[in-house]
Amino acid sequence: MKKSPRPYALSAEMLLQGRTRGSLAAMVGEMVAVQAELDHLLGRTKARIDRASWVRYADSYREYIELYESACRRYLRVVDGDHGIDAQVGSAIGSAIRDALEGTRAVLEVVREAAARVGVHSWPD
């Protein structure tokens, strides 16, 4: 699975454009942290995670990243147009980002477990 750098770019764009605040900004920031930990673990376990774990997380991860990217692009389109975000649109975007974050957290847990089986752990204490 080839990983797109786009989620990081979209996250940065959302946080830097100045209108992303509160719980939405917190979810975007947490998504960056979750992705960074995934990248860290995957980089340290390259070709050592068992195939079943790899298959188990790869498709799910791709789906969650696509959901996240779609929600971020929608948010940036609405904000870029200088339109106010109505509550319904904002809620739908927030829900999509929350779902993507929760799914990506679950993927991280699978990767943590698989990495631990080969002696690799997340950040040192």
Side-chain angles (χ1 to χ4, degrees), residues 69-79 88-90 92-93:
E69 288 177 341
S70 174
C72 289
R73 281 191 300 272
R74 186 170 180 206
Y75 176 82
L76 290 167
R77 255 192 325 272
V78 171
V79 169
Q88 193 171 19
V89 171
I93 291 169

Side-chain angles (χ1 to χ4, degrees), residues 19 26 33 50 64 82 85 93-94 100 114 116-117 119 122-123:
R19 292 188 189 181
D50 63 280
Y64 294 125
D82 245 357
I85 297 179
I93 291 169
R117 285 193 295 275
S122 295
W123 320 119

Side-chain angles (χ1 to χ4, degrees), residues 33-43 57 61 104 107-108 111:
V34 168
Q35 290 172 317
E37 185 175 353
L38 274 167
D39 288 347
H40 173 75
L41 287 171
L42 292 173
Y57 94 83
Y61 183 51
T104 305
V107 169
L108 175 59
V111 173

